[in-house]
Amino acid sequence: MDITKSPELAQTRYHIAELLLEFNHPKEFPLYQLLRSFQDFRWVGTYNAEIVINISLDKAPETADMGILRTDDSIAWGDRFRFYEKGDTFITAIVNEKGNGTWYQYSSRNFEESTIYVPESSADEQSAVITWMSMMIFGQASLLHDTIMLHASVVNHKGEGVAFLGKSGTGKSTHSRLWLTHIPNTSLLNDDNPAVRIREEGIFIYGTPWSGKTPCYRNQLLPLKAFVRLEQAPANTFTWQPGIKGFIAVLPSCTAIRWNKDLFSGMNTILEKIVGEIPVGYLQCLPDAAAAQLCHSSIFSSQ
């Protein structure tokens, strides 16, 4: 998996949720231009990186035995996607757009180091696939550092973060937009994949380079005020979900592959600590201003 450190290789580093993500890549490979959503996270320093991704233009070491096929289910890539486990390595395969080559990602057991093999592909495809693969890698490796990536939309209200959770299509982005429109002093932090981290000072939520279809790539952190799980309903009601109910409400939105038992167990431990300090609400709602106002008043009524 190692790439020989030679003068022909360059390093590009990004600081995301207080973790250093390092790319080692051929100098001629325009990584910085491809990863435009990462630009606000660019880091220049000498600290050791917690997460390393090597970019290789060589042919991937494909073999007839790719290991155990763990899943071929992907919303993003459809039937072009395969995910394998082989010994202490996880292998992600995505057929390229032309159908004449395959992207391969070889990752160590805990995703601390990965190599992405780039097939024949356009700049747009390279941007999309490397962005997605790096998100997947970061989501696993960050679990080693008291950090969880969420599928959520997050607003910043007066310097505190509120994370809206729910199944795809529930209306997380819609509800965030309702806050932006109807709740003063509100802005968007991230619209798809924020990170939550345990710090000595408390629980914080971070913007990341991954924000779904909404270009909101803010290198910011906020104290996390609350989680709110959304569900579409014919009327607006808000209830708090204490204890195990809160844990169960947040768990489906967390990023961890179940085939690495250590990472999955670690994620549960981190989440248990987080929901022990951060309240979790359940909002059954319509896509209207009253839903945003009810949610806001329920969370901030004591302020």
Side-chain angles (χ1 to χ4, degrees), residues 85-268:
E85 180 180 1
K86 186 175 183 180
D88 287 333
T89 302
F90 288 106
I91 304 171
T92 304
I94 300 172
V95 176
N96 67 353
E97 290 179 350
K98 292 184 176 180
N100 63 352
T102 301
W103 290 82
Y104 287 100
Q105 172 195 305
Y106 283 70
S107 297
S108 62
R109 188 76 189 165
N110 291 332
F111 291 83
E112 294 170 288
E113 183 171 5
S114 300
T115 297
I116 295 173
Y117 293 91
V118 181
E120 179 184 346
S121 49
S122 66
D124 286 346
E125 182 179 354
Q126 290 169 7
S127 175
V129 177
I130 295 173
T131 295
W132 184 88
M133 284 183 166
S134 63
M135 177 182 69
M136 192 261 276
I137 291 166
F138 186 91
Q140 306 310 310
S142 62
L143 292 166
L144 301 173
H145 305 278
D146 286 333
T147 304
I148 295 178
M149 282 194 71
L150 296 174
H151 182 47
S153 182
V154 184
V155 294
N156 174 355
H157 180 63
K158 295 184 178 180
E160 295 182 290
V162 180
F164 303 122
L165 316 174
K167 297 179 180 178
S168 295
T170 298
K172 299 182 293 296
S173 297
T174 298
H175 194 74
S176 284
R177 288 195 294 271
L178 289 169
W179 275 59
L180 299 181
T181 302
H182 301 288
I183 308 298
N185 302 305
T186 301
S187 60
L188 189 66
L189 175 68
N190 185 278
D191 203 33
D192 199 47
N193 290 104
V196 178
R197 181 165 185 161
I198 301 173
R199 297 176 53 175
E200 290 184 6
E201 308 94 313
I203 311 298
F204 287 77
I205 194 161
Y206 298 74
T208 72
W210 307 287
S211 189
K213 298 178 181 178
T214 304
C216 184
Y217 313 113
R218 294 181 174 171
N219 189 4
Q220 298 177 359
L221 73 157
L222 301 169
L224 180 57
K225 180 68 174 179
F227 296 107
V228 179
R229 188 154 196 90
L230 305 177
E231 182 179 349
Q232 296 176 1
N236 297 319
T237 59
F238 185 99
T239 55
W240 289 110
Q241 303 292 295
I244 189 64
K245 289 184 178 180
F247 180 92
I248 292 172
V250 179
L251 180 61
S253 299
C254 297
T255 299
I257 59 170
R258 60 184 180 274
W259 301 288
N260 184 322
K261 293 181 180 180
D262 291 336
L263 287 181
F264 192 78
S265 175
M267 182 202 72
N268 282 278

